[in-house]
Amino acid sequence: MDPALVLSRLAQPFMTELVPRLFVTPAPGTGLVEKSAVPVRRLVGPRGETRAVRDRDLRALGAKLVRQAVGGPGERPVRPDEDRAVADALARTLDALGEVEMSDVQAVALQADGFAQHLRSLVPDAARELSEEGALLHALLLEVTARHILEFFTSRSASVPRTLVEHSGFLAELCKRYERLEARVPSQGAADAAFEERFARDTAILHNRLTIFGIDLASAPDSWPLDSTYLGLRCEPGGGPQGSATPVPVSRALAGRSRILVRGVAGSGKTTLLQWLAVATAKGELPAQLAGLRGRVPFVLPVRRFGRENPPVPGEFLAVNGYPGADTQPPGWADRVLRQGRGLLLIDGVDEAPEPAREHLRHTLRDWTALYPGNVWLVTTRPSAVPDGWLAAEDFGEVQLAPMSRDEVHAFVERWHAAARQEPGADPAVLARYEQTLIDALRLTRDLGRLATNPLMCGLLCALHRHLRGYLPSGRKELYDAAMSMLLELRDRQRVVPDDGIALSRQPKIQLLQKLAHWMLINGKSEMDRDIAVDILQRHLPAVPAAARQGDAETIYRHLLNRTGLLREPTAGSVDFIHRTFQDYLAADAMVQQHDFGLLLDHSHLTEWEDVVRMAVSLSRPNEVAELLRGMVSRRPGLRTAHARHSKLLAAACLEHVSEIDPEVRQLVQRATQQMVNPAHPAGARALGWIGPIVLEMLPDPRTVSDDRAFILAVTASSVADDMAIDYLAGLRERERMDIRVQLANAWPRYDTARYAREIIAHLDEHGGLYFPVTDLDEARALAGLGGRAHLHVKGQLDPAQLAGILPVEPVRRLRVEPDHPASDEQWQASFPYVEPPIWRE
């Protein structure tokens, strides 16, 4: 392409006549001259209103520009079949004028190249499908148009100084710049495109493993293909009064958002979520709700790999993630991707940065988002690691990963066992039997069902169940004891690792690991310096002779790191536990052994001590539990009201973990919390329900409250992951208000299918168009037993013909299906001929 030839065709009279068509035509007698700066978007008309320039006008304008640029004698800058694509890309970019928040004065200050770059950042994928020549022509036309737009601003606004360079000088400089760019871009563009293709292919391979860290026994798969077995998570978007009535699929919560902080407890699937986003983006297999991520370049940045140092610059992103081809990326490639607004930044584990470094990381994120507009940013953290609204000033929204539902747990168990059946030497019949007995145990045993709330714990339960040949302990203490036995005694034996000369039984390992976990808890750390860990072991080795006689502290440290499966070195010079769950369990055990109940009481109001207190209660003797719980519900001078409330509710939650307790103490705790169970909005109601079945004993009689209160109670009770909630929800089933009936209907998948259908679904009035969920074939059969329903919401990927073979089709008048369901509307209509169109996809 000859830039000089193209520019010569874009004569100033032509551009001066064309560019004003982009802007509002003044009403008679008003004029456009104003005495102050004017937002650019006001000159165009914002999206969502009647636009001064409609889409077809923009396409016509873009086509006219391209025809002018390619017409006449001389070399043609692009192939004839690409004219329309360049024109459409130009129209899409110019359409972004309606989104420009800066004033005309600020736009002029950017000058033509800066203003054109700003427009490109608002529509980062506009020229993505163009050839190198087409992209170059698009950039040249956009910059020439930007120049004339700025001249238009200076001519219409008295407030803009006329300081722009002479037009001829601008064209000469632009011509020289694009001649240099043309000489450089083809090779650079080709190199970038080739590398991006390779990087996408490698990302889809390298991140396509779902891993449950620490459970790497010969009898248990530690990972399996992500793209075929990933289980979509649910989350609570936002929070506070505006939160959703029920958790929604994470893809729906992330839809349309470019900056978001994802909170989740240890093992809840935060890292796996980012892996899935990276793989799905790289393979171009994102669901419809996340169409805005298509074509982006995913950068996975684990904070644990740089959290102790300065955050990486873009050129170091691939090395930080351990990408083998990091050194082969074209110079400046990552920076170009980000400046074009084409990146998907997946920053995993803010909590894995040392606490003093987190504020520095927040400032870095602020700088990155300001320097690289147009990109999409997802950041994950454990809930207590950073305060609410930690990134609110940087325009980040927040979501909280929700506990897995009953159906999600069952799906996880099925997929885990499917992966196990693919292993060499596996017995499919035995594994099928284990799978079914575990699903039955999770459905019928309250303690197990309460523990299986996230992928980590589900994976642990699957591995334990297989190792114990179809048996599982039911209590929290027994479960963790079995897990420690599996990881500390059997792991090395089954993995057949080389002998390191150290032979420690389970108990000495636990005693030493407890010292490390206890130090981290007391000091509020999620990791420690390696030297501190060795020093702690050095001080405590004399008290553990079985370890002391086998080596010094450094030797024992290496043994614990390499052989227990519980420790790791996330960065050079630091050590942490593979999951916070195990750290908390060991720290709680240490505190109970040292009788540190006063320390537990003093910290029982802190969120980060919740699991430690619960576990300590499950490990303590009855008299110790009674003393601790009395203290938690008693008045303590100096304790803030909010902290006292938290401590009392935690005491109520702890009742679920004790095997023996003085009845008077139980009644004392229940009386202290009875009046506190009154959340004002759905988000608080769900958080209350997640405490567990004990909450049901604190709620008022559902038949005696107002409809507003009844709705909050429905949210609370239906968030309790236990079939005990059915009895309480039955007291709300006769309510007529729609939001209450919707809440009860949508809670069905969380509970025993047949019982919930019999006691709740059968009693819900259909009037007003209440939709009934159908999540699996068991629910379909239950609905068929009730004669069917007029309005159905089919969730998941159920086959329409199979459903029609179970459900009576004549009563069905309206259907909702998931947006990404593969069956067409015509297929649904053929299976359910009495349905009134349209088929709603939501």
Side-chain angles (χ1 to χ4, degrees):
M1 182 183 80
D2 183 353
L5 181 60
V6 172
L7 290 171
S8 69
R9 293 167 178 164
L10 301 173
Q12 185 163 7
F14 170 79
M15 297 297 298
T16 303
E17 186 272 334
L18 192 68
V19 165
R21 300 181 189 180
L22 291 166
F23 301 101
V24 174
T25 301
T30 60
L32 277 172
V33 177
E34 300 189 22
K35 295 183 179 180
S36 61
V38 181
V40 172
R41 56 182 172 78
R42 265 188 51 199
L43 301 174
V44 182
R47 289 184 179 134
E49 301 176 5
T50 301
R51 295 293 301 273
V53 183
R54 293 185 293 272
D55 289 345
R56 65 171 180 269
D57 300 323
L58 282 171
R59 289 195 295 271
L61 188 146
K64 190 169 185 178
L65 267 171
V66 172
R67 282 198 303 272
Q68 187 73 14
V70 303
E75 175 192 359
R76 207 178 197 286
V78 293
R79 302 187 313 271
D81 61 357
E82 199 172 15
D83 287 2
R84 181 168 182 176
V86 175
D88 287 347
L90 188 60
R92 288 184 61 199
T93 310
L94 293 175
D95 187 47
L97 285 164
E99 301 297 313
V100 175
E101 295 293 337
M102 67 181 72
S103 70
D104 53 354
V105 175
Q106 293 168 325
V108 170
L110 281 180
Q111 299 198 4
D113 58 343
F115 188 53
Q117 173 61 34
H118 183 70
L119 291 176
R120 277 195 295 270
S121 73
L122 295 175
V123 195
D125 62 344
R128 188 169 300 167
E129 302 300 325
L130 300 179
S131 67
E132 292 165 4
E133 294 79 7
L136 194 61
L137 177 61
H138 170 267
L140 180 57
L141 292 177
L142 180 61
E143 195 157 338
V144 172
T145 306
R147 163 68 183 198
H148 282 276
I149 289 172
L150 300 186
E151 286 190 339
F152 171 77
F153 290 164
T154 64
S155 69
R156 58 151 299 279
S157 178
S159 68
V160 180
R162 297 177 180 277
T163 56
L164 293 176
V165 297
E166 290 295 326
H167 190 76
S168 58
F170 163 76
L171 290 180
E173 174 59 29
L174 189 61
C175 181
K176 291 178 182 177
R177 183 148 52 86
Y178 271 83
E179 284 173 347
R180 295 193 299 270
L181 185 62
E182 185 186 27
R184 179 169 54 88
V185 163
S187 59
Q188 176 181 291
D192 282 4
F195 180 77
E196 283 185 31
E197 183 178 353
R198 171 192 167 190
F199 180 61
R201 184 171 60 251
D202 292 347
T203 297
I205 295 172
L206 295 173
H207 289 286
N208 192 30
R209 300 297 296 177
L210 193 159
T211 301
I212 304 296
F213 291 104
I215 308 173
D216 50 349
L217 300 168
S219 62
D222 65 333
S223 66
W224 50 90
L226 181 69
D227 57 0
S228 62
T229 57
Y230 172 71
L231 185 69
L233 302 173
R234 296 174 306 127
C235 63
E236 178 184 327
Q242 303 304 315
S244 172
T246 56
V248 299
V250 70
S251 57
R252 186 181 305 173
L254 300 182
R257 309 174 81 163
S258 60
R259 299 181 186 181
I260 195 157
L261 178 70
V262 179
R263 295 179 184 265
V265 298
S268 60
K270 301 184 297 295
T271 297
T272 303
L273 169 62
L274 298 196
Q275 279 183 255
W276 172 74
L277 285 170
V279 170
T281 301
K283 298 177 72 172
E285 296 178 354
L286 289 156
Q289 297 100 319
L290 299 179
L293 302 184
R294 290 174 185 166
R296 292 188 177 273
V297 178
F299 295 97
V300 180
L301 301 176
V303 173
R304 67 178 179 274
R305 295 184 179 171
F306 63 82
R308 300 173 62 86
E309 306 165 356
N310 289 327
V313 297
E316 299 169 340
F317 281 2
L318 302 190
V320 162
N321 191 31
Y323 176 57
D327 292 340
T328 66
Q329 62 182 304
W333 166 75
D335 183 74
R336 285 192 294 278
V337 169
L338 297 183
R339 289 192 180 278
Q340 293 163 7
R342 298 193 295 115
L344 171 59
L345 286 299
L346 304 169
I347 301 165
D348 187 28
V350 168
D351 52 279
E352 299 196 67
E355 193 166 350
R358 293 174 195 167
E359 189 62 17
H360 179 50
L361 178 58
R362 186 176 73 84
H363 288 299
T364 299
L365 286 169
R366 179 195 61 194
D367 295 342
W368 280 351
T369 53
L371 186 61
Y372 300 117
N375 296 286
V376 174
W377 308 78
L378 273 83
V379 181
T380 72
T381 183
R382 290 174 184 167
S384 59
V386 296
D388 290 342
W390 187 63
L391 290 174
E394 286 70 44
D395 295 325
F396 276 73
E398 291 194 9
V399 299
Q400 169 87 30
L401 290 178
M404 293 169 68
S405 69
R406 182 198 63 181
D407 289 336
E408 288 167 342
V409 171
H410 291 181
F412 184 101
V413 172
E414 291 170 356
R415 296 178 186 188
W416 190 95
H417 285 85
R421 284 193 284 271
Q422 303 305 312
E423 296 175 340
D427 187 330
V430 170
L431 285 166
R433 186 172 71 252
Y434 287 170
E435 176 184 328
Q436 189 56 52
T437 56
L438 180 55
I439 289 175
D440 291 341
L442 290 168
R443 179 184 294 118
L444 299 174
T445 307
R446 278 181 53 192
D447 287 338
L448 286 180
R450 233 177 12 253
L451 290 171
T453 58
N454 61 55
L456 168 67
M457 296 309 299
C458 287
L460 179 60
L461 290 172
C462 289
L464 271 175
H465 186 257
R466 183 180 180 184
H467 165 64
L468 297 175
R469 300 182 183 276
Y471 164 78
L472 268 182
S474 58
R476 177 178 288 247
K477 179 182 182 298
E478 292 78 10
L479 176 66
Y480 280 96
D481 283 344
M484 292 296 167
S485 175
M486 181 177 70
L487 294 173
L488 297 178
E489 294 180 298
L490 302 175
R491 185 172 179 265
D492 275 359
R493 193 185 314 158
Q494 295 193 2
R495 290 165 67 223
V496 196
V497 296
D499 184 12
D500 64 358
I502 306 295
L504 286 178
S505 63
R506 174 175 177 266
Q507 194 55 39
K509 291 178 184 178
I510 287 181
Q511 290 172 320
L512 294 172
L513 289 168
Q514 283 176 350
K515 309 306 180 186
L516 303 181
H518 186 264
W519 184 93
M520 293 167 75
L521 174 68
I522 298 300
N523 289 276
K525 304 291 185 181
S526 60
E527 68 176 41
M528 64 168 66
D529 289 341
R530 186 183 191 277
D531 292 342
I532 293 177
V534 173
D535 181 64
I536 291 172
L537 294 176
Q538 179 66 46
R539 286 189 282 111
H540 289 284
L541 269 179
V544 188
R549 61 174 171 259
Q550 298 194 54
D552 59 14
E554 177 67 34
T555 302
I556 298 300
Y557 168 80
R558 286 198 305 270
H559 177 79
L560 295 175
L561 176 69
N562 296 327
R563 299 303 177 83
T564 65
L566 292 174
L567 295 178
R568 66 174 180 177
E569 288 186 344
T571 58
S574 68
V575 61
D576 67 0
F577 283 86
I578 198 72
H579 269 294
R580 181 64 180 261
T581 305
F582 297 115
Q583 176 189 323
D584 288 346
Y585 177 80
L586 288 165
D589 200 5
M591 298 195 78
V592 170
Q593 290 184 24
Q594 296 174 28
H595 304 284
D596 276 341
F597 295 101
L599 195 60
L600 284 168
L601 178 60
D602 290 343
H603 291 82
S604 63
H605 62 283
L606 299 178
T607 303
E608 54 267 34
W609 280 64
E610 279 184 7
D611 281 345
V612 176
V613 173
R614 289 177 188 244
M615 292 177 183
V617 165
S618 71
L619 293 164
S620 300
R621 291 184 288 269
N623 63 314
E624 295 167 335
V625 172
E627 179 184 355
L628 179 59
L629 294 184
R630 283 195 188 97
M632 291 171 67
V633 299
S634 299
R635 187 175 182 276
R636 285 178 277 164
L639 193 63
R640 291 166 49 191
T641 301
H643 288 163
R645 172 185 171 87
H646 184 279
S647 183
K648 291 177 181 178
L649 286 176
L650 180 58
C654 286
L655 291 177
E656 290 298 307
H657 308 299
V658 297
S659 57
E660 181 182 347
I661 184 70
D662 185 337
E664 290 186 4
V665 175
R666 176 182 288 275
Q667 293 171 11
L668 174 66
V669 172
Q670 291 175 344
R671 285 196 303 269
T673 54
Q674 188 73 42
Q675 300 304 316
M676 298 170 55
V677 190
N678 188 25
H681 50 74
R686 283 190 295 280
L688 183 64
W690 290 349
I691 290 177
I694 186 65
V695 169
L696 299 172
E697 301 177 29
M698 308 177 203
L699 300 179
D701 186 337
R703 295 165 295 185
T704 64
V705 299
S706 67
D707 278 350
D708 287 341
R709 180 73 173 129
F711 170 67
I712 294 296
L713 292 174
V715 174
T716 301
S718 62
S719 299
V720 175
D722 192 292
D723 281 345
M724 287 178 64
I726 298 176
D727 292 329
Y728 189 87
L729 293 171
L732 295 164
R733 67 192 184 189
E734 304 299 336
R735 297 276 176 161
E736 295 186 1
R737 212 169 84 174
M738 176 62 85
D739 58 353
I740 300 173
R741 289 183 288 132
V742 168
Q743 184 69 32
L744 295 182
N746 287 335
W748 190 7
R750 302 172 196 167
Y751 303 106
D752 180 79
T753 301
R755 184 182 168 199
Y756 199 88
R758 183 173 63 253
E759 299 187 27
I760 306 293
I761 297 297
H763 300 269
L764 295 180
D765 195 322
E766 295 186 70
H767 82 271
L770 177 64
Y771 280 81
F772 289 80
V774 182
T775 307
D776 55 32
L777 298 182
D778 286 341
E779 289 178 356
R781 295 185 187 98
L783 273 184
L786 299 175
R789 288 294 185 268
H791 295 70
L792 300 180
H793 185 176
V794 180
K795 299 183 177 183
Q797 306 296 308
L798 299 175
D799 178 74
Q802 192 175 17
L803 275 182
I806 297 173
L807 286 163
V809 298
E810 195 278 332
V812 182
R813 290 294 186 267
R814 300 303 298 267
L815 269 177
R816 287 180 179 170
V817 298
E818 298 298 292
D820 57 350
H821 197 290
S824 66
D825 289 1
E826 289 75 16
Q827 289 173 292
W828 283 108
Q829 198 74 57
S831 297
F832 292 88
Y834 299 98
V835 165
E836 303 165 7
I839 307 293
W840 294 103
R841 291 187 176 266
E842 57 181 47

